[in-house]
mmCIF file of all heavy atoms in Angstrom:
data_model
loop_
_atom_site.group_PDB
_atom_site.id
_atom_site.type_symbol
_atom_site.label_atom_id
_atom_site.label_comp_id
_atom_site.label_asym_id
_atom_site.label_seq_id
_atom_site.Cartn_x
_atom_site.Cartn_y
_atom_site.Cartn_z
ATOM 1 N N GLY A 53 13.190 3.573 -24.824
ATOM 2 C CA GLY A 53 13.730 4.612 -23.951
ATOM 3 C C GLY A 53 12.617 5.397 -23.268
ATOM 4 O O GLY A 53 12.692 5.711 -22.075
ATOM 5 N N ARG A 54 11.580 5.677 -24.028
ATOM 6 C CA ARG A 54 10.462 6.422 -23.459
ATOM 7 C C ARG A 54 9.737 5.585 -22.396
ATOM 8 O O ARG A 54 9.373 6.083 -21.327
ATOM 9 C CB ARG A 54 9.493 6.816 -24.561
ATOM 10 C CG ARG A 54 8.405 7.689 -24.047
ATOM 11 C CD ARG A 54 7.578 8.238 -25.142
ATOM 12 N NE ARG A 54 6.477 8.953 -24.513
ATOM 13 C CZ ARG A 54 5.815 9.903 -25.088
ATOM 14 N NH1 ARG A 54 6.109 10.241 -26.307
ATOM 15 N NH2 ARG A 54 4.832 10.496 -24.476
ATOM 16 N N VAL A 55 9.543 4.306 -22.675
ATOM 17 C CA VAL A 55 8.913 3.416 -21.705
ATOM 18 C C VAL A 55 9.786 3.327 -20.457
ATOM 19 O O VAL A 55 9.284 3.384 -19.328
ATOM 20 C CB VAL A 55 8.667 2.019 -22.313
ATOM 21 C CG1 VAL A 55 8.309 1.011 -21.254
ATOM 22 C CG2 VAL A 55 7.563 2.099 -23.362
ATOM 23 N N TRP A 56 11.098 3.193 -20.648
ATOM 24 C CA TRP A 56 12.009 3.119 -19.504
ATOM 25 C C TRP A 56 11.893 4.397 -18.666
ATOM 26 O O TRP A 56 11.855 4.357 -17.446
ATOM 27 C CB TRP A 56 13.459 2.924 -19.960
ATOM 28 C CG TRP A 56 14.403 2.952 -18.803
ATOM 29 C CD1 TRP A 56 14.753 1.934 -18.003
ATOM 30 C CD2 TRP A 56 15.104 4.095 -18.317
ATOM 31 N NE1 TRP A 56 15.617 2.336 -17.026
ATOM 32 C CE2 TRP A 56 15.857 3.675 -17.200
ATOM 33 C CE3 TRP A 56 15.176 5.431 -18.689
ATOM 34 C CZ2 TRP A 56 16.659 4.545 -16.464
ATOM 35 C CZ3 TRP A 56 15.973 6.282 -17.965
ATOM 36 C CH2 TRP A 56 16.707 5.846 -16.869
ATOM 37 N N TRP A 57 11.868 5.561 -19.320
ATOM 38 C CA TRP A 57 11.786 6.835 -18.608
ATOM 39 C C TRP A 57 10.476 6.933 -17.827
ATOM 40 O O TRP A 57 10.466 7.384 -16.683
ATOM 41 C CB TRP A 57 11.928 7.996 -19.590
ATOM 42 C CG TRP A 57 11.893 9.313 -18.902
ATOM 43 C CD1 TRP A 57 10.908 10.239 -18.940
ATOM 44 C CD2 TRP A 57 12.889 9.840 -18.029
ATOM 45 N NE1 TRP A 57 11.215 11.318 -18.161
ATOM 46 C CE2 TRP A 57 12.450 11.097 -17.597
ATOM 47 C CE3 TRP A 57 14.123 9.385 -17.590
ATOM 48 C CZ2 TRP A 57 13.173 11.892 -16.732
ATOM 49 C CZ3 TRP A 57 14.855 10.182 -16.733
ATOM 50 C CH2 TRP A 57 14.382 11.410 -16.311
ATOM 51 N N GLN A 58 9.374 6.488 -18.450
ATOM 52 C CA GLN A 58 8.092 6.511 -17.738
ATOM 53 C C GLN A 58 8.145 5.605 -16.510
ATOM 54 O O GLN A 58 7.656 5.978 -15.433
ATOM 55 C CB GLN A 58 6.972 6.040 -18.682
ATOM 56 C CG GLN A 58 6.706 6.963 -19.847
ATOM 57 C CD GLN A 58 5.857 8.151 -19.466
ATOM 58 O OE1 GLN A 58 5.168 8.113 -18.471
ATOM 59 N NE2 GLN A 58 5.940 9.210 -20.246
ATOM 60 N N LEU A 59 8.704 4.411 -16.649
ATOM 61 C CA LEU A 59 8.835 3.494 -15.519
ATOM 62 C C LEU A 59 9.740 4.072 -14.432
ATOM 63 O O LEU A 59 9.467 3.917 -13.236
ATOM 64 C CB LEU A 59 9.357 2.135 -15.981
ATOM 65 C CG LEU A 59 8.364 1.276 -16.753
ATOM 66 C CD1 LEU A 59 9.048 0.020 -17.289
ATOM 67 C CD2 LEU A 59 7.183 0.906 -15.882
ATOM 68 N N HIS A 60 10.803 4.728 -14.868
ATOM 69 C CA HIS A 60 11.725 5.361 -13.915
ATOM 70 C C HIS A 60 10.990 6.429 -13.119
ATOM 71 O O HIS A 60 11.111 6.497 -11.877
ATOM 72 C CB HIS A 60 12.902 5.946 -14.683
ATOM 73 C CG HIS A 60 13.857 6.722 -13.835
ATOM 74 N ND1 HIS A 60 14.682 6.113 -12.929
ATOM 75 C CD2 HIS A 60 14.104 8.046 -13.742
ATOM 76 C CE1 HIS A 60 15.403 7.041 -12.311
ATOM 77 N NE2 HIS A 60 15.063 8.228 -12.777
ATOM 78 N N ARG A 61 10.224 7.279 -13.792
ATOM 79 C CA ARG A 61 9.453 8.314 -13.100
ATOM 80 C C ARG A 61 8.413 7.700 -12.167
ATOM 81 O O ARG A 61 8.201 8.182 -11.046
ATOM 82 C CB ARG A 61 8.758 9.216 -14.122
ATOM 83 C CG ARG A 61 9.733 10.151 -14.809
ATOM 84 C CD ARG A 61 9.090 11.028 -15.835
ATOM 85 N NE ARG A 61 7.897 11.691 -15.324
ATOM 86 C CZ ARG A 61 6.932 12.143 -16.103
ATOM 87 N NH1 ARG A 61 7.002 11.992 -17.395
ATOM 88 N NH2 ARG A 61 5.882 12.738 -15.594
ATOM 89 N N LEU A 62 7.786 6.611 -12.600
ATOM 90 C CA LEU A 62 6.796 5.939 -11.774
ATOM 91 C C LEU A 62 7.448 5.347 -10.516
ATOM 92 O O LEU A 62 6.918 5.471 -9.416
ATOM 93 C CB LEU A 62 6.115 4.826 -12.567
ATOM 94 C CG LEU A 62 5.021 4.050 -11.864
ATOM 95 C CD1 LEU A 62 3.890 4.980 -11.451
ATOM 96 C CD2 LEU A 62 4.503 2.933 -12.741
ATOM 97 N N ARG A 63 8.643 4.743 -10.680
ATOM 98 C CA ARG A 63 9.357 4.207 -9.506
ATOM 99 C C ARG A 63 9.712 5.330 -8.536
ATOM 100 O O ARG A 63 9.587 5.163 -7.322
ATOM 101 C CB ARG A 63 10.635 3.481 -9.944
ATOM 102 C CG ARG A 63 10.389 2.025 -10.275
ATOM 103 C CD ARG A 63 11.673 1.389 -10.609
ATOM 104 N NE ARG A 63 12.043 2.001 -11.889
ATOM 105 C CZ ARG A 63 12.903 1.522 -12.741
ATOM 106 N NH1 ARG A 63 13.551 0.445 -12.482
ATOM 107 N NH2 ARG A 63 13.165 2.101 -13.882
ATOM 108 N N ARG A 64 10.174 6.452 -9.058
ATOM 109 C CA ARG A 64 10.522 7.578 -8.182
ATOM 110 C C ARG A 64 9.279 8.089 -7.448
ATOM 111 O O ARG A 64 9.320 8.399 -6.254
ATOM 112 C CB ARG A 64 11.143 8.710 -9.001
ATOM 113 C CG ARG A 64 12.569 8.393 -9.396
ATOM 114 C CD ARG A 64 13.199 9.484 -10.222
ATOM 115 N NE ARG A 64 13.076 10.791 -9.593
ATOM 116 C CZ ARG A 64 13.222 11.932 -10.237
ATOM 117 N NH1 ARG A 64 13.482 11.933 -11.528
ATOM 118 N NH2 ARG A 64 13.093 13.073 -9.607
ATOM 119 N N LEU A 65 8.156 8.148 -8.160
ATOM 120 C CA LEU A 65 6.909 8.595 -7.546
ATOM 121 C C LEU A 65 6.468 7.614 -6.462
ATOM 122 O O LEU A 65 6.083 8.025 -5.366
ATOM 123 C CB LEU A 65 5.813 8.722 -8.607
ATOM 124 C CG LEU A 65 4.438 9.142 -8.103
ATOM 125 C CD1 LEU A 65 4.498 10.571 -7.586
ATOM 126 C CD2 LEU A 65 3.423 9.018 -9.210
ATOM 127 N N LEU A 66 6.569 6.323 -6.730
ATOM 128 C CA LEU A 66 6.205 5.314 -5.731
ATOM 129 C C LEU A 66 7.116 5.392 -4.507
ATOM 130 O O LEU A 66 6.652 5.259 -3.372
ATOM 131 C CB LEU A 66 6.258 3.909 -6.342
ATOM 132 C CG LEU A 66 5.112 3.581 -7.291
ATOM 133 C CD1 LEU A 66 5.348 2.228 -7.938
ATOM 134 C CD2 LEU A 66 3.789 3.598 -6.587
ATOM 135 N N ARG A 67 8.414 5.615 -4.733
ATOM 136 C CA ARG A 67 9.349 5.751 -3.600
ATOM 137 C C ARG A 67 8.981 6.956 -2.759
ATOM 138 O O ARG A 67 8.989 6.898 -1.519
ATOM 139 C CB ARG A 67 10.792 5.883 -4.096
ATOM 140 C CG ARG A 67 11.532 4.587 -4.144
ATOM 141 C CD ARG A 67 12.982 4.851 -4.403
ATOM 142 N NE ARG A 67 13.066 5.569 -5.665
ATOM 143 C CZ ARG A 67 13.882 5.257 -6.658
ATOM 144 N NH1 ARG A 67 14.733 4.304 -6.528
ATOM 145 N NH2 ARG A 67 13.880 5.947 -7.775
ATOM 146 N N SER A 68 8.670 8.070 -3.407
ATOM 147 C CA SER A 68 8.312 9.266 -2.635
ATOM 148 C C SER A 68 6.991 9.063 -1.892
ATOM 149 O O SER A 68 6.845 9.504 -0.758
ATOM 150 C CB SER A 68 8.243 10.495 -3.535
ATOM 151 O OG SER A 68 7.166 10.399 -4.432
ATOM 152 N N GLU A 69 6.031 8.366 -2.516
ATOM 153 C CA GLU A 69 4.770 8.069 -1.835
ATOM 154 C C GLU A 69 5.017 7.162 -0.629
ATOM 155 O O GLU A 69 4.444 7.357 0.439
ATOM 156 C CB GLU A 69 3.795 7.392 -2.798
ATOM 157 C CG GLU A 69 3.193 8.322 -3.824
ATOM 158 C CD GLU A 69 2.239 9.314 -3.194
ATOM 159 O OE1 GLU A 69 1.572 8.978 -2.216
ATOM 160 O OE2 GLU A 69 2.193 10.450 -3.681
ATOM 161 N N ARG A 70 5.878 6.157 -0.802
ATOM 162 C CA ARG A 70 6.198 5.270 0.302
ATOM 163 C C ARG A 70 6.866 6.030 1.436
ATOM 164 O O ARG A 70 6.551 5.827 2.614
ATOM 165 C CB ARG A 70 7.133 4.140 -0.189
ATOM 166 C CG ARG A 70 6.586 2.769 0.122
ATOM 167 C CD ARG A 70 7.516 1.676 -0.344
ATOM 168 N NE ARG A 70 7.179 1.303 -1.706
ATOM 169 C CZ ARG A 70 8.034 1.201 -2.695
ATOM 170 N NH1 ARG A 70 9.311 1.413 -2.516
ATOM 171 N NH2 ARG A 70 7.630 0.864 -3.893
ATOM 172 N N ALA A 71 7.795 6.908 1.084
ATOM 173 C CA ALA A 71 8.471 7.720 2.106
ATOM 174 C C ALA A 71 7.469 8.615 2.836
ATOM 175 O O ALA A 71 7.538 8.769 4.057
ATOM 176 C CB ALA A 71 9.581 8.546 1.464
ATOM 177 N N ALA A 72 6.557 9.205 2.082
ATOM 178 C CA ALA A 72 5.548 10.060 2.711
ATOM 179 C C ALA A 72 4.659 9.249 3.652
ATOM 180 O O ALA A 72 4.311 9.714 4.742
ATOM 181 C CB ALA A 72 4.703 10.745 1.634
ATOM 182 N N ALA A 73 4.303 8.022 3.236
ATOM 183 C CA ALA A 73 3.467 7.182 4.096
ATOM 184 C C ALA A 73 4.225 6.797 5.364
ATOM 185 O O ALA A 73 3.664 6.821 6.464
ATOM 186 C CB ALA A 73 3.036 5.918 3.339
ATOM 187 N N LEU A 74 5.515 6.459 5.231
ATOM 188 C CA LEU A 74 6.316 6.125 6.410
ATOM 189 C C LEU A 74 6.444 7.326 7.342
ATOM 190 O O LEU A 74 6.346 7.191 8.557
ATOM 191 C CB LEU A 74 7.704 5.635 5.991
ATOM 192 C CG LEU A 74 7.743 4.243 5.365
ATOM 193 C CD1 LEU A 74 9.148 3.941 4.845
ATOM 194 C CD2 LEU A 74 7.301 3.188 6.361
ATOM 195 N N LEU A 75 6.639 8.494 6.763
ATOM 196 C CA LEU A 75 6.759 9.698 7.560
ATOM 197 C C LEU A 75 5.438 9.997 8.283
ATOM 198 O O LEU A 75 5.433 10.349 9.465
ATOM 199 C CB LEU A 75 7.150 10.884 6.684
ATOM 200 C CG LEU A 75 7.401 12.200 7.365
ATOM 201 C CD1 LEU A 75 8.540 12.067 8.359
ATOM 202 C CD2 LEU A 75 7.722 13.269 6.346
ATOM 203 N N THR A 76 4.334 9.803 7.580
ATOM 204 C CA THR A 76 3.021 10.023 8.188
ATOM 205 C C THR A 76 2.807 9.046 9.341
ATOM 206 O O THR A 76 2.333 9.436 10.412
ATOM 207 C CB THR A 76 1.911 9.860 7.145
ATOM 208 O OG1 THR A 76 2.144 10.796 6.095
ATOM 209 C CG2 THR A 76 0.544 10.086 7.739
ATOM 210 N N ASP A 77 3.177 7.781 9.113
ATOM 211 C CA ASP A 77 3.026 6.774 10.175
ATOM 212 C C ASP A 77 3.905 7.125 11.383
ATOM 213 O O ASP A 77 3.462 7.005 12.534
ATOM 214 C CB ASP A 77 3.382 5.389 9.668
ATOM 215 C CG ASP A 77 2.351 4.845 8.688
ATOM 216 O OD1 ASP A 77 1.265 5.436 8.614
ATOM 217 O OD2 ASP A 77 2.659 3.858 7.988
ATOM 218 N N ALA A 78 5.133 7.546 11.107
ATOM 219 C CA ALA A 78 6.036 7.905 12.205
ATOM 220 C C ALA A 78 5.513 9.106 12.970
ATOM 221 O O ALA A 78 5.571 9.159 14.202
ATOM 222 C CB ALA A 78 7.440 8.169 11.654
ATOM 223 N N THR A 79 5.005 10.085 12.241
ATOM 224 C CA THR A 79 4.451 11.270 12.877
ATOM 225 C C THR A 79 3.227 10.899 13.723
ATOM 226 O O THR A 79 3.087 11.375 14.846
ATOM 227 C CB THR A 79 4.042 12.315 11.814
ATOM 228 O OG1 THR A 79 5.194 12.637 11.036
ATOM 229 C CG2 THR A 79 3.516 13.566 12.450
ATOM 230 N N HIS A 80 2.382 10.026 13.175
ATOM 231 C CA HIS A 80 1.205 9.591 13.936
ATOM 232 C C HIS A 80 1.632 8.853 15.199
ATOM 233 O O HIS A 80 1.080 9.109 16.282
ATOM 234 C CB HIS A 80 0.348 8.685 13.065
ATOM 235 C CG HIS A 80 -0.837 8.113 13.770
ATOM 236 N ND1 HIS A 80 -1.923 8.886 14.117
ATOM 237 C CD2 HIS A 80 -1.098 6.865 14.213
ATOM 238 C CE1 HIS A 80 -2.805 8.121 14.734
ATOM 239 N NE2 HIS A 80 -2.335 6.894 14.804
ATOM 240 N N GLU A 81 2.633 7.989 15.080
ATOM 241 C CA GLU A 81 3.120 7.249 16.250
ATOM 242 C C GLU A 81 3.694 8.210 17.289
ATOM 243 O O GLU A 81 3.427 8.086 18.482
ATOM 244 C CB GLU A 81 4.171 6.229 15.823
ATOM 245 C CG GLU A 81 4.640 5.332 16.926
ATOM 246 C CD GLU A 81 3.541 4.423 17.470
ATOM 247 O OE1 GLU A 81 2.623 4.057 16.736
ATOM 248 O OE2 GLU A 81 3.620 4.096 18.682
ATOM 249 N N ARG A 82 4.480 9.203 16.825
ATOM 250 C CA ARG A 82 5.050 10.182 17.749
ATOM 251 C C ARG A 82 3.953 10.991 18.429
ATOM 252 O O ARG A 82 3.994 11.219 19.641
ATOM 253 C CB ARG A 82 5.989 11.115 16.985
ATOM 254 C CG ARG A 82 6.728 12.093 17.915
ATOM 255 C CD ARG A 82 7.337 13.235 17.160
ATOM 256 N NE ARG A 82 6.245 14.039 16.632
ATOM 257 C CZ ARG A 82 6.327 14.779 15.554
ATOM 258 N NH1 ARG A 82 7.418 14.821 14.857
ATOM 259 N NH2 ARG A 82 5.309 15.501 15.129
ATOM 260 N N ASP A 83 2.954 11.388 17.640
ATOM 261 C CA ASP A 83 1.841 12.143 18.218
ATOM 262 C C ASP A 83 1.069 11.301 19.229
ATOM 263 O O ASP A 83 0.646 11.803 20.274
ATOM 264 C CB ASP A 83 0.896 12.625 17.119
ATOM 265 C CG ASP A 83 1.500 13.724 16.279
ATOM 266 O OD1 ASP A 83 2.554 14.274 16.688
ATOM 267 O OD2 ASP A 83 0.944 14.024 15.201
ATOM 268 N N MET A 84 0.878 10.019 18.924
ATOM 269 C CA MET A 84 0.178 9.139 19.861
ATOM 270 C C MET A 84 0.988 8.955 21.142
ATOM 271 O O MET A 84 0.426 8.937 22.232
ATOM 272 C CB MET A 84 -0.104 7.780 19.209
ATOM 273 C CG MET A 84 -1.224 7.819 18.183
ATOM 274 S SD MET A 84 -2.779 8.470 18.845
ATOM 275 C CE MET A 84 -3.216 7.196 20.008
ATOM 276 N N GLU A 85 2.313 8.846 21.016
ATOM 277 C CA GLU A 85 3.151 8.734 22.218
ATOM 278 C C GLU A 85 3.062 10.003 23.069
ATOM 279 O O GLU A 85 2.949 9.929 24.300
ATOM 280 C CB GLU A 85 4.593 8.448 21.822
ATOM 281 C CG GLU A 85 4.827 7.046 21.325
ATOM 282 C CD GLU A 85 6.255 6.839 20.841
ATOM 283 O OE1 GLU A 85 7.132 7.681 21.156
ATOM 284 O OE2 GLU A 85 6.487 5.827 20.175
ATOM 285 N N ALA A 86 3.086 11.149 22.414
ATOM 286 C CA ALA A 86 2.954 12.418 23.140
ATOM 287 C C ALA A 86 1.571 12.503 23.810
ATOM 288 O O ALA A 86 1.459 12.949 24.950
ATOM 289 C CB ALA A 86 3.165 13.591 22.191
ATOM 290 N N PHE A 87 0.546 12.066 23.098
ATOM 291 C CA PHE A 87 -0.813 12.081 23.656
ATOM 292 C C PHE A 87 -0.892 11.148 24.860
ATOM 293 O O PHE A 87 -1.453 11.510 25.901
ATOM 294 C CB PHE A 87 -1.813 11.654 22.575
ATOM 295 C CG PHE A 87 -3.221 11.528 23.087
ATOM 296 C CD1 PHE A 87 -3.955 12.657 23.402
ATOM 297 C CD2 PHE A 87 -3.791 10.287 23.260
ATOM 298 C CE1 PHE A 87 -5.246 12.547 23.872
ATOM 299 C CE2 PHE A 87 -5.076 10.157 23.721
ATOM 300 C CZ PHE A 87 -5.806 11.289 24.029
ATOM 301 N N ARG A 88 -0.324 9.955 24.738
ATOM 302 C CA ARG A 88 -0.339 9.016 25.866
ATOM 303 C C ARG A 88 0.397 9.596 27.068
ATOM 304 O O ARG A 88 -0.045 9.438 28.209
ATOM 305 C CB ARG A 88 0.298 7.690 25.459
ATOM 306 C CG ARG A 88 -0.576 6.865 24.542
ATOM 307 C CD ARG A 88 0.072 5.509 24.242
ATOM 308 N NE ARG A 88 -0.616 4.883 23.136
ATOM 309 C CZ ARG A 88 -0.084 4.678 21.938
ATOM 310 N NH1 ARG A 88 1.166 4.992 21.699
ATOM 311 N NH2 ARG A 88 -0.770 4.104 20.988
#
Side-chain angles (χ1 to χ4, degrees):
R54 185 172 174 156
V55 167
W56 176 85
W57 182 251
Q58 294 280 339
L59 287 174
H60 175 71
R61 286 178 49 203
L62 182 61
R63 273 183 291 199
R64 286 179 52 198
L65 179 66
L66 286 174
R67 265 190 302 229
S68 68
E69 286 291 327
R70 235 181 270 130
L74 288 173
L75 184 61
T76 301
D77 290 346
T79 303
H80 177 71
E81 185 65 29
R82 186 196 67 208
D83 289 347
M84 286 304 294
E85 287 176 14
F87 175 73
R88 287 184 194 113

